[in-house]
Amino acid sequence: MQSLRWFSVTAVNVVLASVLMTIEGYPEFQKRIPNGNRVPNPCIRSTIWPGVCHQNSAGGGPRNPFGLDFEINGFVWDVTICKKDSDGDGWTNGYELGDPDCKWTVNATPSGVAVSHPGICEPIDKPNCIAKNSWLANCKRF
């Protein structure tokens, strides 16, 4: 009976730790990019896209083009990822995230605000963006 209770408590702790790691996973990455916690949601403009590196706005699951590039870059914000146009909409990641001069560093205040999402080609209804955003389900702008 004692070993069953120990097993139950251990199992609950493992599940709880996994849930907390999932919930707390993306805020750490948000802090590694300028305005990472204020990236506009192109599907619902009055909201943000907290899982900025993911196809799912809440985070988790497959990465969007910016998330893939950020991973390739070692999850580090620098001139390389800043000057890249991950989503192919003609704007650099730095411009979209409020760091057009690529000078932002972790824990610093960005020089500007995030104006669009670096992993979603915008405007989403523009012909060249429709194919690039084929993974973006159920998103109709306005």
Side-chain angles (χ1 to χ4, degrees), residues 49-69:
W49 191 288
V52 68
C53 291
H54 295 274
Q55 293 179 10
N56 178 349
S57 65
R63 289 189 175 91
N64 61 41
F66 174 74
L68 294 171
D69 287 344

Side-chain angles (χ1 to χ4, degrees), residues 2-84:
Q2 186 74 2
S3 63
L4 180 61
R5 186 176 308 156
W6 178 85
F7 176 77
S8 296
V9 170
T10 302
V12 168
N13 286 338
V14 168
V15 169
L16 183 59
S18 297
V19 168
L20 290 175
M21 284 172 36
T22 301
I23 292 171
E24 294 299 321
Y26 66 79
E28 186 58 40
F29 287 102
Q30 287 178 342
K31 296 174 187 174
R32 296 182 187 187
I33 61 173
N35 294 305
N37 63 340
R38 293 183 292 263
V39 176
N41 182 338
C43 300
I44 307 170
R45 277 290 180 195
S46 61
T47 64
I48 61 168
W49 191 288
V52 68
C53 291
H54 295 274
Q55 293 179 10
N56 178 349
S57 65
R63 289 189 175 91
N64 61 41
F66 174 74
L68 294 171
D69 287 344
F70 194 52
E71 179 182 25
I72 289 168
N73 205 54
F75 299 109
V76 173
W77 182 261
D78 60 13
V79 172
T80 301
I81 192 74
C82 181
K83 291 196 177 285
K84 190 166 182 69

Side-chain angles (χ1 to χ4, degrees), residues 55 63-66 68 85-91 118-137:
Q55 293 179 10
R63 289 189 175 91
N64 61 41
F66 174 74
L68 294 171
D85 177 16
S86 295
D87 55 18
D89 60 6
W91 300 104
I120 301 174
C121 186
E122 296 178 67
I124 60 174
D125 54 357
K126 190 173 169 184
N128 72 312
C129 289
I130 292 171
K132 292 176 183 174
N133 294 333
S134 61
W135 56 269
L136 190 59

